[in-house]
Amino acid sequence: MPASTESAPVAEAVAAPRRAGREYLLEWVFRPLGSIIVPALRWARVPPLAVLLANAGIGLVAALVLARGELVLAALLLQVKTLLDNMDGQLARATDQVTLTGRYLDTFADLVVNAAVFAALGYVTGQPLLAVSAFVALSLVLAADFNASELYREANGIATSAPCPSGGRIEHALAATYAAVFGPLDRAVRAVAARRLRPATSYDAFTVTLLANMGLTTQLAVLGACLVLDVPGLYLWLVVGCLAALVPLHLRAELRR
């Protein structure tokens, strides 16, 4: 999850990082599919914001369909949502329209859709407390994924470019909201790493790759599989298990010091 840091300026915080770890399902399936469709969208002059809004809209429709008990259709819509979520960034880069506002909106769209999906899961499984716990767990896992990758990049001198701030009011408002929502979580994740790990020995490529494959693309694919198999409750426990897996990963990083 893109997230702010204590030391990085806002522009760096939401820049699309050159990831140390590869999320294989994203790299092998959704990104290639997106690269096929993006040229047509570029030719048709479809703005990246329209793709982003379509991504959010389909995600919310998927949550509604899921709450109605139409699990297979919800699973399909979530994969379409993932495809669009990847395509809006590709289209923005292809048309030179990458902006901080777009990056903030993309992050908030994911947050809102995730909340709606987990609310629907709580409803259809009859386990709202487990659904809330899983939503919190997923947020922590995505924050750990992003920050571990950032720490790896910093330790290895891997730089990324960031769009220049526009200075607009909407951008400032989104930046303030972003800092309020994600800042505490990211500072907490980084504080744990800073307290226990030296920067030069933080997280290795194995750890950031494993965390990358707990990312949102893979999460929604696993959720889709659970929905098709009619075991939505299983996914909630799997997300909690992903959070539990952070403990041995962190211990492994400590042992590498």
Side-chain angles (χ1 to χ4, degrees), residues 1-5 8-16 49 52 55 85 88 97-112 162-183 186:
M1 154 190 312
S4 61
T5 68
V10 169
E12 292 182 13
V14 294
L49 180 59
L52 190 158
N55 149 33
D85 196 11
D88 61 7
Q97 297 183 62
V98 177
T99 64
L100 290 177
T101 297
R103 295 234 173 110
Y104 285 128
L105 289 174
D106 188 59
T107 298
F108 288 127
D110 284 341
L111 178 65
V112 171
C164 296
S166 68
R169 292 182 179 180
I170 294 177
E171 182 183 283
H172 280 303
L174 289 172
T177 306
Y178 187 95
V181 173
F182 295 108
D186 295 317

Side-chain angles (χ1 to χ4, degrees), residues 93-143:
R93 289 187 290 274
T95 57
D96 195 25
Q97 297 183 62
V98 177
T99 64
L100 290 177
T101 297
R103 295 234 173 110
Y104 285 128
L105 289 174
D106 188 59
T107 298
F108 288 127
D110 284 341
L111 178 65
V112 171
V113 170
N114 288 347
V117 167
F118 277 91
L121 284 169
Y123 179 75
V124 297
T125 61
Q127 301 182 80
L129 292 180
L130 177 58
V132 170
S133 299
F135 173 69
V136 173
L138 179 62
S139 299
L140 290 169
V141 168
L142 295 178

Side-chain angles (χ1 to χ4, degrees), residues 28-114:
W28 295 346
V29 179
F30 289 99
R31 186 161 292 162
L33 284 175
S35 66
I36 295 173
I37 303 171
V38 163
L41 297 179
R42 182 181 182 183
W43 175 82
R45 298 185 178 181
V46 175
L49 180 59
V51 180
L52 190 158
L53 293 175
N55 149 33
I58 289 177
L60 292 175
V61 171
L64 178 61
V65 168
L66 173 56
R68 293 173 55 183
E70 300 178 49
L71 304 188
V72 175
L73 178 57
L76 177 61
L77 289 173
L78 287 173
Q79 307 322 304
V80 175
K81 183 264 182 204
T82 296
L83 179 61
L84 291 172
D85 196 11
N86 179 61
M87 283 170 49
D88 61 7
Q90 288 191 49
L91 182 61
R93 289 187 290 274
T95 57
D96 195 25
Q97 297 183 62
V98 177
T99 64
L100 290 177
T101 297
R103 295 234 173 110
Y104 285 128
L105 289 174
D106 188 59
T107 298
F108 288 127
D110 284 341
L111 178 65
V112 171
V113 170
N114 288 347

